[in-house]
mmCIF file of all heavy atoms in Angstrom:
data_model
loop_
_atom_site.group_PDB
_atom_site.id
_atom_site.type_symbol
_atom_site.label_atom_id
_atom_site.label_comp_id
_atom_site.label_asym_id
_atom_site.label_seq_id
_atom_site.Cartn_x
_atom_site.Cartn_y
_atom_site.Cartn_z
ATOM 1 N N ALA A 251 4.590 -8.728 -8.924
ATOM 2 C CA ALA A 251 4.840 -7.904 -7.737
ATOM 3 C C ALA A 251 5.427 -8.745 -6.606
ATOM 4 O O ALA A 251 6.392 -8.341 -5.945
ATOM 5 C CB ALA A 251 3.549 -7.225 -7.296
ATOM 6 N N SER A 252 4.863 -9.925 -6.371
ATOM 7 C CA SER A 252 5.349 -10.781 -5.287
ATOM 8 C C SER A 252 6.782 -11.228 -5.540
ATOM 9 O O SER A 252 7.625 -11.216 -4.634
ATOM 10 C CB SER A 252 4.437 -12.004 -5.133
ATOM 11 O OG SER A 252 3.149 -11.612 -4.737
ATOM 12 N N ALA A 253 7.058 -11.621 -6.784
ATOM 13 C CA ALA A 253 8.405 -12.085 -7.111
ATOM 14 C C ALA A 253 9.422 -10.958 -6.931
ATOM 15 O O ALA A 253 10.526 -11.182 -6.427
ATOM 16 C CB ALA A 253 8.441 -12.610 -8.544
ATOM 17 N N LEU A 254 9.056 -9.745 -7.320
ATOM 18 C CA LEU A 254 9.971 -8.616 -7.161
ATOM 19 C C LEU A 254 10.223 -8.316 -5.687
ATOM 20 O O LEU A 254 11.357 -8.052 -5.277
ATOM 21 C CB LEU A 254 9.402 -7.380 -7.863
ATOM 22 C CG LEU A 254 9.332 -7.446 -9.395
ATOM 23 C CD1 LEU A 254 8.700 -6.175 -9.955
ATOM 24 C CD2 LEU A 254 10.711 -7.662 -10.013
ATOM 25 N N MET A 255 9.170 -8.388 -4.882
ATOM 26 C CA MET A 255 9.347 -8.093 -3.453
ATOM 27 C C MET A 255 10.183 -9.168 -2.771
ATOM 28 O O MET A 255 10.986 -8.867 -1.880
ATOM 29 C CB MET A 255 7.980 -7.933 -2.783
ATOM 30 C CG MET A 255 7.270 -6.639 -3.210
ATOM 31 S SD MET A 255 5.803 -6.248 -2.239
ATOM 32 C CE MET A 255 4.701 -7.524 -2.799
ATOM 33 N N VAL A 256 10.018 -10.426 -3.184
ATOM 34 C CA VAL A 256 10.859 -11.501 -2.641
ATOM 35 C C VAL A 256 12.327 -11.232 -2.965
ATOM 36 O O VAL A 256 13.228 -11.536 -2.171
ATOM 37 C CB VAL A 256 10.410 -12.867 -3.211
ATOM 38 C CG1 VAL A 256 11.430 -13.951 -2.884
ATOM 39 C CG2 VAL A 256 9.043 -13.243 -2.647
ATOM 40 N N ALA A 257 12.545 -10.611 -4.122
ATOM 41 C CA ALA A 257 13.916 -10.288 -4.540
ATOM 42 C C ALA A 257 14.426 -9.000 -3.892
ATOM 43 O O ALA A 257 15.520 -8.529 -4.225
ATOM 44 C CB ALA A 257 13.980 -10.166 -6.060
ATOM 45 N N GLY A 258 13.615 -8.422 -3.007
ATOM 46 C CA GLY A 258 14.051 -7.226 -2.288
ATOM 47 C C GLY A 258 13.789 -5.920 -3.016
ATOM 48 O O GLY A 258 14.380 -4.893 -2.682
ATOM 49 N N ILE A 259 12.914 -5.960 -3.992
ATOM 50 C CA ILE A 259 12.626 -4.762 -4.798
ATOM 51 C C ILE A 259 11.301 -4.154 -4.328
ATOM 52 O O ILE A 259 10.290 -4.863 -4.218
ATOM 53 C CB ILE A 259 12.555 -5.128 -6.288
ATOM 54 C CG1 ILE A 259 13.912 -5.689 -6.719
ATOM 55 C CG2 ILE A 259 12.151 -3.927 -7.140
ATOM 56 C CD1 ILE A 259 13.866 -6.488 -7.971
ATOM 57 N N ASP A 260 11.317 -2.864 -4.066
ATOM 58 C CA ASP A 260 10.122 -2.181 -3.571
ATOM 59 C C ASP A 260 9.095 -2.031 -4.696
ATOM 60 O O ASP A 260 9.438 -1.621 -5.803
ATOM 61 C CB ASP A 260 10.512 -0.806 -3.025
ATOM 62 C CG ASP A 260 9.340 -0.115 -2.348
ATOM 63 O OD1 ASP A 260 8.518 -0.824 -1.737
ATOM 64 O OD2 ASP A 260 9.251 1.120 -2.434
ATOM 65 N N VAL A 261 7.846 -2.374 -4.403
ATOM 66 C CA VAL A 261 6.746 -2.257 -5.370
ATOM 67 C C VAL A 261 5.598 -1.524 -4.701
ATOM 68 O O VAL A 261 5.208 -1.866 -3.581
ATOM 69 C CB VAL A 261 6.260 -3.652 -5.845
ATOM 70 C CG1 VAL A 261 5.070 -3.510 -6.788
ATOM 71 C CG2 VAL A 261 7.388 -4.411 -6.513
ATOM 72 N N SER A 262 5.061 -0.536 -5.384
ATOM 73 C CA SER A 262 3.896 0.191 -4.861
ATOM 74 C C SER A 262 2.644 -0.632 -5.096
ATOM 75 O O SER A 262 2.302 -0.961 -6.228
ATOM 76 C CB SER A 262 3.769 1.549 -5.560
ATOM 77 O OG SER A 262 2.627 2.226 -5.105
ATOM 78 N N LEU A 263 1.956 -0.999 -4.021
ATOM 79 C CA LEU A 263 0.751 -1.833 -4.123
ATOM 80 C C LEU A 263 -0.382 -1.205 -3.339
ATOM 81 O O LEU A 263 -0.157 -0.501 -2.356
ATOM 82 C CB LEU A 263 1.009 -3.239 -3.570
ATOM 83 C CG LEU A 263 1.872 -4.182 -4.397
ATOM 84 C CD1 LEU A 263 2.109 -5.469 -3.628
ATOM 85 C CD2 LEU A 263 1.200 -4.487 -5.731
ATOM 86 N N SER A 264 -1.609 -1.487 -3.748
ATOM 87 C CA SER A 264 -2.765 -1.040 -2.968
ATOM 88 C C SER A 264 -3.835 -2.121 -2.979
ATOM 89 O O SER A 264 -3.934 -2.926 -2.071
ATOM 90 C CB SER A 264 -3.307 0.275 -3.523
ATOM 91 O OG SER A 264 -4.386 0.712 -2.749
ATOM 92 N N CYS A 265 -4.665 -2.180 -4.048
ATOM 93 C CA CYS A 265 -5.794 -3.130 -4.039
ATOM 94 C C CYS A 265 -5.343 -4.556 -4.294
ATOM 95 O O CYS A 265 -5.976 -5.501 -3.846
ATOM 96 C CB CYS A 265 -6.835 -2.722 -5.074
ATOM 97 S SG CYS A 265 -6.354 -3.045 -6.794
ATOM 98 N N GLU A 266 -4.236 -4.746 -5.031
ATOM 99 C CA GLU A 266 -3.709 -6.060 -5.406
ATOM 100 C C GLU A 266 -4.730 -6.897 -6.164
ATOM 101 O O GLU A 266 -4.709 -8.119 -6.123
ATOM 102 C CB GLU A 266 -3.188 -6.819 -4.177
ATOM 103 C CG GLU A 266 -2.049 -6.095 -3.485
ATOM 104 C CD GLU A 266 -1.434 -6.889 -2.363
ATOM 105 O OE1 GLU A 266 -1.020 -8.025 -2.629
ATOM 106 O OE2 GLU A 266 -1.369 -6.376 -1.228
ATOM 107 N N GLN A 267 -5.650 -6.229 -6.860
ATOM 108 C CA GLN A 267 -6.664 -6.922 -7.643
ATOM 109 C C GLN A 267 -6.792 -6.352 -9.057
ATOM 110 O O GLN A 267 -7.757 -6.605 -9.742
ATOM 111 C CB GLN A 267 -8.025 -6.833 -6.933
ATOM 112 C CG GLN A 267 -8.025 -7.470 -5.566
ATOM 113 C CD GLN A 267 -9.353 -7.269 -4.853
ATOM 114 O OE1 GLN A 267 -10.187 -8.165 -4.812
ATOM 115 N NE2 GLN A 267 -9.557 -6.079 -4.326
ATOM 116 N N GLY A 268 -5.813 -5.536 -9.454
ATOM 117 C CA GLY A 268 -5.850 -4.982 -10.802
ATOM 118 C C GLY A 268 -6.876 -3.895 -11.003
ATOM 119 O O GLY A 268 -7.303 -3.650 -12.143
ATOM 120 N N MET A 269 -7.275 -3.223 -9.927
ATOM 121 C CA MET A 269 -8.328 -2.225 -10.054
ATOM 122 C C MET A 269 -7.870 -0.798 -9.805
ATOM 123 O O MET A 269 -8.522 0.137 -10.234
ATOM 124 C CB MET A 269 -9.470 -2.533 -9.078
ATOM 125 C CG MET A 269 -10.186 -3.841 -9.350
ATOM 126 S SD MET A 269 -11.626 -4.040 -8.299
ATOM 127 C CE MET A 269 -10.861 -4.144 -6.695
ATOM 128 N N CYS A 270 -6.768 -0.617 -9.065
ATOM 129 C CA CYS A 270 -6.462 0.749 -8.618
ATOM 130 C C CYS A 270 -5.358 1.427 -9.418
ATOM 131 O O CYS A 270 -5.274 2.651 -9.434
ATOM 132 C CB CYS A 270 -6.084 0.739 -7.143
ATOM 133 S SG CYS A 270 -4.465 0.022 -6.801
ATOM 134 N N GLY A 271 -4.485 0.682 -10.050
ATOM 135 C CA GLY A 271 -3.425 1.275 -10.857
ATOM 136 C C GLY A 271 -2.167 1.642 -10.101
ATOM 137 O O GLY A 271 -1.244 2.208 -10.685
ATOM 138 N N ALA A 272 -2.097 1.318 -8.805
ATOM 139 C CA ALA A 272 -0.939 1.709 -8.013
ATOM 140 C C ALA A 272 0.351 1.054 -8.505
ATOM 141 O O ALA A 272 1.432 1.618 -8.346
ATOM 142 C CB ALA A 272 -1.160 1.365 -6.547
ATOM 143 N N CYS A 273 0.268 -0.133 -9.082
ATOM 144 C CA CYS A 273 1.469 -0.892 -9.435
ATOM 145 C C CYS A 273 1.742 -0.888 -10.938
ATOM 146 O O CYS A 273 2.523 -1.704 -11.417
ATOM 147 C CB CYS A 273 1.350 -2.324 -8.928
ATOM 148 S SG CYS A 273 -0.032 -3.233 -9.654
ATOM 149 N N VAL A 274 1.112 -0.012 -11.683
ATOM 150 C CA VAL A 274 1.310 0.031 -13.133
ATOM 151 C C VAL A 274 2.684 0.626 -13.456
ATOM 152 O O VAL A 274 3.055 1.678 -12.917
ATOM 153 C CB VAL A 274 0.209 0.867 -13.810
ATOM 154 C CG1 VAL A 274 0.535 1.103 -15.284
ATOM 155 C CG2 VAL A 274 -1.133 0.167 -13.680
ATOM 156 N N VAL A 275 3.450 -0.069 -14.305
ATOM 157 C CA VAL A 275 4.761 0.415 -14.742
ATOM 158 C C VAL A 275 4.866 0.261 -16.256
ATOM 159 O O VAL A 275 4.167 -0.564 -16.855
ATOM 160 C CB VAL A 275 5.918 -0.344 -14.053
ATOM 161 C CG1 VAL A 275 5.845 -0.211 -12.547
ATOM 162 C CG2 VAL A 275 5.920 -1.798 -14.468
ATOM 163 N N PRO A 276 5.768 0.999 -16.894
ATOM 164 C CA PRO A 276 5.945 0.870 -18.347
ATOM 165 C C PRO A 276 6.645 -0.438 -18.735
ATOM 166 O O PRO A 276 7.532 -0.905 -18.029
ATOM 167 C CB PRO A 276 6.816 2.086 -18.701
ATOM 168 C CG PRO A 276 6.677 3.036 -17.557
ATOM 169 C CD PRO A 276 6.494 2.169 -16.348
ATOM 170 N N ILE A 277 6.234 -1.014 -19.859
ATOM 171 C CA ILE A 277 6.918 -2.163 -20.465
ATOM 172 C C ILE A 277 7.814 -1.637 -21.577
ATOM 173 O O ILE A 277 7.374 -0.869 -22.427
ATOM 174 C CB ILE A 277 5.908 -3.149 -21.091
ATOM 175 C CG1 ILE A 277 4.938 -3.697 -20.056
ATOM 176 C CG2 ILE A 277 6.645 -4.309 -21.754
ATOM 177 C CD1 ILE A 277 3.872 -4.600 -20.677
ATOM 178 N N LEU A 278 9.072 -2.073 -21.584
ATOM 179 C CA LEU A 278 10.004 -1.661 -22.638
ATOM 180 C C LEU A 278 10.172 -2.742 -23.698
ATOM 181 O O LEU A 278 10.476 -2.435 -24.856
ATOM 182 C CB LEU A 278 11.365 -1.310 -22.029
ATOM 183 C CG LEU A 278 11.350 -0.179 -20.997
ATOM 184 C CD1 LEU A 278 12.754 0.050 -20.452
ATOM 185 C CD2 LEU A 278 10.794 1.094 -21.606
ATOM 186 N N ALA A 279 10.020 -4.016 -23.313
ATOM 187 C CA ALA A 279 10.145 -5.121 -24.272
ATOM 188 C C ALA A 279 9.352 -6.306 -23.753
ATOM 189 O O ALA A 279 9.197 -6.489 -22.553
ATOM 190 C CB ALA A 279 11.613 -5.499 -24.469
ATOM 191 N N GLY A 280 8.864 -7.141 -24.689
ATOM 192 C CA GLY A 280 8.034 -8.274 -24.309
ATOM 193 C C GLY A 280 6.559 -7.928 -24.432
ATOM 194 O O GLY A 280 6.191 -6.778 -24.670
#
Side-chain angles (χ1 to χ4, degrees):
S252 296
L254 292 178
M255 289 190 290
V256 169
I259 299 161
D260 187 34
V261 177
S262 178
L263 287 175
S264 182
C265 74
E266 299 186 55
Q267 299 176 101
M269 296 187 295
C270 72
C273 62
V274 171
V275 301
I277 300 176
L278 301 179

